[in-house]
Amino acid sequence: MFTMVIRRRQSLPGLSLSGTGDALDRSTIREATRNFSEANVIGEGGYSVVYRGQLRDGTMVAVKRLKKYYLTDKGKEDFSREVGVMSTLRHVNLAKLLYYCREEDEWILVYELMENRSLNLYIFGTRCNA
Ligand SMILES: Nc1ncnc2c1ncn2[C@@H]1O[C@H](COP(=O)(O)OP(=O)(O)OP(=O)(O)O)[C@@H](O)[C@H]1O
C-alpha cells in the first residue's frame, strides 16, 4: 500500500502536503458500517477489508479495517506509516484520509469514499473502454 502512494507522489502534478487525519472511536465506526456488515464490504486487500460507511453528518466513507492476523509489529508499523503519509497528502486523484482508529485490537483507516468510478475517469475525466 505504501509503494503506490510514493509512486503517485512523484508523478502527479498538483500534489500538496497539508492537514492531519483525526482519531475516531471504534463505536462511531461500528455505527457507520452497521457493525462491519458483510453487506457493506466494498473491497479487500492484503492488509485489510474495506467497508462502505456513512458518518452521522452524512459523509460517505471507505473504512479500511486491518485484518486481525496482521496486527503484528510489522503490520502496526505499516499502518502508522500510512497514517503519517496519507494524512499529509492532498490531491484530487488520491482518496483523502479523514480519520484513523488505533484501539487495542482495532486498527482502522477512514478514507473519503471513491464512488464507483474507474481510475481513468478520475484522472482523465473520461471513461476508458479499452
Ligand atoms: N477510498 C476508497 N473508496 C472506495 N473503495 C476503496 C477505497 N479504498 C480502498 N477501496 C477498495 O478496497 C480495495 C482494497 O483496498 P487496498 O488495496 O487499499 O487495501 P490494502 O489492504 O492496503 O491492500 P494491498 O496493500 O494489499 O493492496 C480496493 O481495491 C478498492 O476496491
Side-chain angles (χ1 to χ4, degrees):
M1 57 187 154
F2 193 58
T3 322
M4 182 181 75
V5 171
I6 296 302
R7 202 182 314 127
R8 286 181 176 180
R9 181 178 182 172
Q10 289 172 337
S11 61
L12 290 176
L15 192 65
S16 64
L17 307 171
S18 65
T20 54
D22 295 322
L24 200 65
D25 63 278
R26 81 167 91 184
S27 61
T28 301
I29 298 172
R30 278 190 183 281
E31 183 185 311
T33 58
R34 299 182 186 183
N35 202 19
F36 300 106
S37 161
E38 280 291 318
N40 284 39
V41 174
I42 53 173
E44 182 168 356
Y47 297 79
S48 63
V49 177
V50 182
Y51 300 81
R52 171 190 299 272
Q54 184 168 24
L55 301 179
R56 281 187 193 164
D57 68 2
T59 307
M60 297 302 296
V61 291
V63 172
K64 197 167 166 178
R65 187 186 200 192
L66 200 68
K67 292 177 180 177
K68 297 284 185 239
Y69 70 76
Y70 206 69
L71 283 171
T72 58
D73 287 348
K74 167 85 168 63
K76 290 177 177 180
E77 190 183 315
D78 287 350
F79 179 101
S80 301
R81 194 179 299 123
E82 185 164 341
V83 172
V85 172
M86 292 306 292
S87 64
T88 62
L89 294 181
R90 294 287 174 268
H91 188 278
V92 66
N93 296 329
L94 278 181
K96 185 174 163 187
L97 177 66
L98 301 174
Y99 304 101
Y100 67 89
C101 169
R102 212 162 32 185
E103 293 180 15
E104 296 165 22
D105 62 339
E106 203 65 276
W107 289 49
I108 295 170
L109 297 169
V110 179
Y111 280 95
E112 159 194 19
L113 182 71
M114 305 295 270
E115 285 291 358
N116 193 19
R117 304 171 74 194
S118 75
L119 191 58
N120 275 308
L121 193 60
Y122 272 108
I123 295 177
F124 303 114
T126 58
R127 286 191 187 283
C128 176
N129 298 318

